[in-house]
Amino acid sequence: FERLNCSYPSRPETLALEDFCLEIEPGDTLAVVGPSGAGKSTSFQLLLRFYDVSSGAIRVDGKDISRLDPQDLRRQVGLVPQETVLFGESALENIRYGRPEATVEEVRQAAVMAEADEFIRNLPDGYDTFLGERGTRLSGGQRQRIAIARAILKDPPILLLDEATSSLDAENERLVQAALESLMKNRTTLVIAHRLATVHKVDRILVMNHGRIEAVGTHNELISSNELYARLAQLQFGDI
């Protein structure tokens, strides 16, 4: 990310990101934390080219993404959003959305890695079970594991996680966290972090506030050096 400035079309006079500079090495895991409205999700949306930057550039392997076909770019990026989008299709086809040409066996292998195989096999028709519009027949944790299976099947080099374990019960959180750890191996990963467990396992933490980068470091470094991070850690993650 090279000196990005960005404003949304609906609010052109307000910068959502300002002078945003960041370099991420291949295979690194970076957590992004900050209060609501800090610009965390904006960085994801720009990387996926849902919006273009006002100035500056985003480069992937040295290539300016504004010069790439958005479809080619998005094939290189896996996204597990906070609210999983499921379709009125079978469990098999919902996972296969990550790579439409995948075989049934490849879909099942992805589900196993995502801690989803067991609950899918226990559905009335197993992998052929219709999930209902927006996956209404599944719990929140099950929907998340379907989304993770999709991303595993896609096998992208870059992974974006808008981590969504904060609203899950303890058992589902454990299963989703285990699935995420399988997914993150050997990938460049950016995580919008809501849970201390995730922050402890990343290479660096990026602290954002009002569209700007306030600090970058490890958990222990930031606890002692950055007042905003120390406060967020206590409020969002519990006592430390």
Side-chain angles (χ1 to χ4, degrees):
F1 297 85
E2 297 178 357
R3 307 203 63 153
L4 296 191
N5 290 290
C6 169
S7 56
Y8 289 116
S10 58
R11 289 174 290 154
E13 71 289 346
T14 303
L15 285 175
L17 288 184
E18 183 177 357
D19 197 28
F20 188 88
C21 300
L22 180 67
E23 186 168 345
I24 304 167
E25 295 294 330
D28 275 1
T29 300
L30 178 85
V32 185
V33 303
S36 179
K40 303 184 296 295
S41 296
T42 303
S43 62
F44 279 23
Q45 292 165 346
L46 291 173
L47 182 54
L48 288 162
R49 282 201 68 197
F50 294 157
Y51 301 94
D52 280 329
V53 299
S54 305
S55 63
I58 301 174
R59 300 184 192 278
V60 175
D61 293 339
K63 296 177 181 176
D64 186 337
I65 67 169
S66 68
R67 301 176 181 273
L68 300 177
D69 182 315
Q71 286 190 328
D72 291 338
L73 170 67
R74 291 167 190 160
R75 286 191 192 101
Q76 306 305 311
V77 182
L79 173 66
V80 180
Q82 209 164 16
E83 290 295 329
T84 302
V85 177
L86 297 185
F87 305 104
E89 284 280 359
S90 66
L92 180 80
E93 292 304 327
N94 264 286
I95 295 173
R96 195 185 255 155
Y97 182 73
R99 182 157 56 88
E101 71 279 10
T103 66
V104 172
E105 184 54 34
E106 287 171 330
V107 170
R108 286 181 172 154
Q109 287 174 359
V112 168
M113 290 180 66
E115 305 280 346
D117 178 66
E118 183 177 354
F119 85 75
I120 292 173
R121 284 191 287 106
N122 286 330
L123 293 172
D125 296 311
Y127 279 81
D128 293 323
T129 302
F130 179 75
L131 297 184
E133 294 299 329
R134 303 185 66 82
T136 51
R137 299 177 70 174
L138 302 181
S139 70
Q142 290 171 335
R143 288 195 295 270
Q144 278 301 100
R145 282 177 274 159
I146 292 280
I148 293 166
R150 259 187 206 158
I152 289 172
L153 187 65
K154 185 176 183 180
D155 196 23
I158 299 171
L159 183 62
L160 305 181
L161 302 178
D162 191 351
E163 195 199 13
T165 60
S166 54
S167 62
L168 302 179
D169 60 54
E171 177 63 13
N172 266 309
E173 183 184 349
R174 183 188 66 79
L175 290 167
V176 169
Q177 196 64 51
L180 287 172
E181 287 174 18
S182 293
L183 176 58
M184 291 163 67
K185 286 177 183 173
N186 304 314
R187 300 181 207 281
T188 305
T189 306
L190 282 76
V191 187
I192 294 178
H194 305 290
R195 286 283 181 164
L196 192 58
T198 302
V199 171
H200 274 311
K201 295 175 181 177
V202 302
D203 299 303
R204 289 182 297 160
I205 301 163
L206 178 74
V207 184
M208 295 190 65
N209 196 21
H210 299 299
R212 298 182 68 96
I213 296 173
E214 187 162 302
V216 182
T218 65
H219 173 74
N220 289 335
E221 289 169 350
L222 293 170
I223 283 291
S224 57
S225 66
N226 185 262
E227 184 179 338
L228 173 60
Y229 181 78
R231 181 161 47 86
L232 286 172
Q234 188 150 21
L235 288 172
Q236 292 187 12
F237 310 140
D239 293 333
I240 50 174

